[in-house]
Amino acid sequence: MTRRSSDSRPCVFLRVCDRARVLDADGSPVRFPTHKSLALFIYLARAGDAGAARDHLSELFWPGRPDHDARRALRGTLHEMRSAICFSADKIIRQARDRVSLKQAAIATDLDFEKRDCATTAGDFLVGLEIGTPGFDHWCAEERARLRDAALNT
């Protein structure tokens, strides 16, 4: 098991340019058990300290499912996410009754590393991370467009 990161440095490094990848504080890959748990982790990392409402996440990741089923699927996917980052899950994941967020100080990304963007680093945003739900896939497309526009305007 990976040792815990000190409070002075991020617990994980998130690569969102090109193919999504998460590394622990020692640089070892973090393996998420499902594509959806990785997608949820990335979505929450990009959502900021406020995170997202559970209702919103349920609809974004499990559209059209009955509320109870979508909430149960969200709980299961959050469990998968916590299991993947077990070495520092308590330092990263914040769960309240109605919201889920990630502590931004615990996560470094290739977007904020040296203030670079996807256009000047490895490639496009979240290549291949679509999960087949319209809301999340649309969010990925919007993020790609926003980052491309930002790169062209700098």
Side-chain angles (χ1 to χ4, degrees):
M1 180 170 289
T2 306
R3 68 180 172 78
R4 287 184 177 236
S5 172
S6 70
D7 289 334
S8 64
R9 67 179 185 161
C11 298
V12 295
F13 178 77
L14 174 59
R15 180 177 143 189
V16 294
C17 295
D18 202 28
R19 295 240 175 242
R21 195 167 167 193
V22 180
L23 305 172
D24 68 16
D26 296 324
S28 299
V30 175
R31 306 238 186 267
F32 287 80
T34 63
H35 208 52
K36 201 167 267 192
S37 60
L38 173 61
L40 178 60
F41 183 81
I42 290 168
Y43 183 83
L44 290 170
R46 298 287 294 155
D49 280 320
R54 287 179 183 264
D55 289 341
H56 173 72
L57 295 172
S58 295
E59 182 59 32
L60 188 68
F61 285 86
W62 297 276
R65 286 176 88 176
D67 218 25
H68 178 70
D69 291 346
R71 285 270 193 154
R72 182 178 27 212
L74 176 60
R75 283 191 303 273
T77 303
L78 285 167
H79 177 74
E80 291 172 351
M81 196 174 77
R82 285 182 85 63
S83 296
I85 56 171
C86 61
F87 54 89
S88 56
D90 292 335
K91 288 184 174 184
I92 298 173
I93 301 171
R94 297 177 182 156
Q95 294 186 67
R97 186 171 190 265
D98 295 327
R99 296 194 77 73
V100 181
S101 65
L102 301 181
K103 183 178 178 185
Q104 297 299 294
I107 303 166
T109 73
D110 50 357
L111 293 176
D112 54 30
F113 184 70
E114 296 181 16
K115 303 295 180 199
R116 295 181 184 174
D117 57 25
C118 286
T120 60
T121 56
D124 219 348
F125 180 76
L126 299 178
V127 173
L129 191 63
E130 290 81 4
I131 57 173
T133 63
F136 182 80
D137 295 350
H138 181 73
W139 173 80
C140 281
E142 284 180 338
E143 285 291 294
R144 281 186 197 111
R146 188 183 66 72
L147 291 168
R148 261 190 237 111
D149 287 349
L152 293 173
N153 295 323
T154 55

